[in-house]
């Protein structure tokens, strides 16, 4: 019996980025670069529509900056037209002009997630190079103001990544990453805040000298929700096995050459998942925190602070 579509389809509008974040493979120039074409997107649409009963969410993001693609509003509108329940966009926020904010609010987008990192604006600017945290906050606030003016239901979320500060932390006591004070105040405006720890990406990005802790006492998993619940299409049509694979360590097919269903049901894809179930790991899984344990990134090491 053919496997059905997973609930989350990830389509990458752009694998290029206008920032050079020090913890991201895309910013470190380790990822492919390019834009999703309108023709390739239109090739995907009918098959997504045919399988819409299985799909809960389409995320327009993988490694690059989606707003670099001039067709982004067309993509959102077409996905909503065919009945996708939730369309989500993840952005660094730098391009959130008044016009783009207006276009996003008129596109029927369900959720926008904006990335800002660190415990202060200074931290964020140092980590997210070419970015200005204060300017981006002002753009997010303007988007929220416009949303309220027209009573739009879009969910606005700020996603923030935190970095271990030094070696004094008791790693056994690490739990949820803190929500930084400089962002916490925006909750009262209806903006959602979510925080997570920065860990090394599969493939070793950034390099291991930036990692300050590796939990070796991890039980090897035989299941991973990222493999089971998502399907990720890169801007050039390549399908990677996981949404954490920003550098295309494992390409399982290309949707410009075949169908999504054919890739989902391919021997190679099914064997990859079966191997994981048997705790046989290849890239990107064998260097992923899900398998290895979390490799936390130290802020001072990341930024080469002496």
């Amino acid at each position: 019996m053919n496997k059905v579509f997973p609930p989350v389809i990830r389509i990458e509008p752009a694998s290029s980025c206008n920032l050079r974040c020090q913890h991201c493979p895309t910013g470190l120039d380790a990822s492919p670069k390019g834009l999703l074409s309108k023709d390739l997107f239109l090739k995907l649409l009918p098959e997504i529509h045919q399988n819409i009963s299985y799909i809960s969410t389409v995320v327009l993001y993988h490694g690059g900056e989606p707003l670099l693609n001039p067709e982004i509003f067309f993509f959102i509108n077409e996905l909503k037209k065919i009945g996708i329940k939730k369309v989500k966009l993840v952005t660094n926020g730098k391009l959130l002009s008044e016009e783009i904010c207006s276009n996003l609010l008129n596109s029927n987008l369900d959720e926008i997630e904006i990335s800002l990192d660190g415990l202060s604006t200074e931290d964020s600017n140092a980590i997210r190079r070419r970015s200005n945290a204060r300017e981006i906050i002002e753009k997010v606030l303007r988007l929220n103001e416009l949303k309220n003016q027209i009573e739009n239901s879009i969910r606005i979320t700020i996603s923030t990544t935190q970095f271990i500060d030094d070696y004094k932390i008791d790693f056994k006591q690490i739990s949820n990453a803190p929500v930084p004070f400089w962002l916490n105040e925006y909750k009262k405006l209806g903006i959602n805040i979510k925080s997570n720890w920065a860990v090394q990406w599969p493939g070793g990005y950034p390099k291991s000298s930036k990692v300050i802790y590796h939990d070796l006492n991890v039980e090897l998993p035989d299941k991973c929700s990222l493999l089971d619940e998502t399907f990720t299409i890169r801007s050039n049509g390549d399908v990677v096995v996981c949404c954490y694979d920003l550098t295309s360590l494992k390409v399982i097919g290309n949707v410009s050459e075949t169908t999504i269903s054919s890739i989902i049901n391919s021997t190679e894809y099914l064997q990859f998942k079966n191997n994981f179930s048997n705790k046989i790991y290849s890239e990107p899984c064998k260097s992923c925190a899900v398998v290895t344990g979390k490799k936390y990134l130290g802020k001072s090491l990341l930024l080469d602070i002496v």
Side-chain angles (χ1 to χ4, degrees):
M1 188 176 86
N2 283 354
K3 295 286 185 180
V4 298
F5 271 43
V8 179
I9 305 294
R10 298 174 65 93
I11 303 173
E12 182 181 51
S15 53
S16 301
C17 190
N18 50 352
L19 298 189
R20 291 295 179 265
C21 300
Q22 297 304 290
H23 59 303
C24 175
T26 306
L28 296 170
D29 284 330
S31 295
K33 302 291 184 287
L35 300 179
L36 175 69
S37 71
K38 188 174 183 179
D39 287 344
L40 181 53
F41 174 82
L42 289 173
K43 180 182 183 296
L44 302 174
L45 211 58
E47 193 177 5
I48 291 173
H49 190 197
Q50 290 165 11
N51 292 275
I52 199 166
S53 60
Y54 303 114
I55 302 169
S56 64
T57 305
V58 172
V59 180
L60 291 171
Y61 175 72
H62 185 58
E65 171 49 49
L67 294 178
L68 288 173
N69 195 318
E71 303 291 351
I72 189 66
F73 308 112
F74 175 80
F75 297 161
I76 297 168
N77 276 303
E78 291 302 307
L79 288 167
K80 292 305 293 183
K81 280 181 185 177
I82 65 171
I84 296 295
K85 298 182 184 72
K86 179 180 178 181
V87 178
K88 177 180 176 180
L89 181 77
V90 182
T91 174
N92 59 44
K94 187 172 183 177
L95 298 177
L96 285 176
S97 64
E98 187 89 1
E99 180 182 4
I100 285 179
C101 285
S102 179
N103 288 338
L104 287 171
L105 292 173
N106 289 323
S107 69
N108 296 313
L109 182 67
D110 297 288
E111 181 174 1
I112 183 169
E113 184 175 301
I114 304 98
S115 302
L116 286 165
D117 299 333
L119 293 176
S120 67
T121 55
E122 291 77 17
D123 280 355
S124 190
N125 292 344
I127 294 161
R128 306 181 65 80
R129 294 184 180 175
R130 299 187 183 176
S131 177
N132 184 307
R134 282 297 173 197
E135 288 181 3
I136 290 172
I137 281 292
E138 290 302 315
K139 293 176 179 182
V140 174
L141 293 177
R142 180 55 178 160
L143 176 65
N144 194 55
E145 182 182 20
L146 292 171
K147 165 197 168 179
N148 293 332
Q149 285 177 5
I150 63 174
E151 298 182 349
N152 189 291
S153 61
I154 187 174
R155 178 181 175 87
I156 300 175
T157 299
I158 293 176
S159 175
T160 179
T161 300
Q162 301 309 315
F163 299 78
I164 302 298
D165 211 9
D166 52 41
Y167 290 91
K168 298 178 182 178
I169 290 176
D170 182 352
F171 294 107
K172 294 180 180 178
Q173 300 301 316
I174 289 179
S175 55
N176 295 330
V179 174
F181 179 76
W182 72 287
L183 293 175
N184 200 46
E185 61 181 296
Y186 301 115
K187 286 183 178 179
K188 63 186 178 184
L189 300 177
I191 296 172
N192 304 283
I193 312 289
K194 70 176 187 180
S195 185
N196 58 275
W197 290 113
V199 298
Q200 190 179 47
W201 291 92
Y205 300 99
K207 61 185 179 181
S208 59
S209 62
K210 309 299 183 184
V211 177
I212 68 167
Y213 180 69
H214 185 176
D215 183 5
L216 296 175
N217 299 315
V218 60
E219 182 178 350
L220 294 177
D222 59 8
K223 293 181 180 178
C224 178
S225 62
L226 300 176
L227 292 180
D228 295 333
E229 298 174 10
T230 66
F231 185 86
T232 302
I233 303 167
R234 301 224 60 176
S235 64
N236 66 350
D238 282 346
V239 173
V240 291
V241 293
C242 176
C243 59
Y244 283 179
D245 187 3
L246 300 189
T247 58
S248 296
L249 292 168
K250 181 60 176 178
V251 176
I252 211 77
N254 189 294
V255 292
S256 67
E257 302 164 355
T258 186
T259 63
I260 296 173
S261 296
S262 294
I263 296 174
I264 289 174
N265 291 285
S266 68
T267 301
E268 186 180 7
Y269 202 7
L270 296 176
Q271 185 62 56
F272 186 92
K273 292 183 178 182
N274 185 61
N275 284 347
F276 193 97
S277 298
N278 291 310
K279 301 184 180 181
I280 302 170
Y281 312 115
S282 55
E283 291 288 14
C285 303
K286 72 177 184 181
S287 59
C288 176
V290 172
V291 170
T292 66
K294 292 185 177 179
K295 301 177 183 180
Y296 296 101
L297 300 185
K299 185 178 73 174
S300 61
L301 293 173
L302 187 78
L303 300 178
D304 296 321
I305 299 171
V306 179

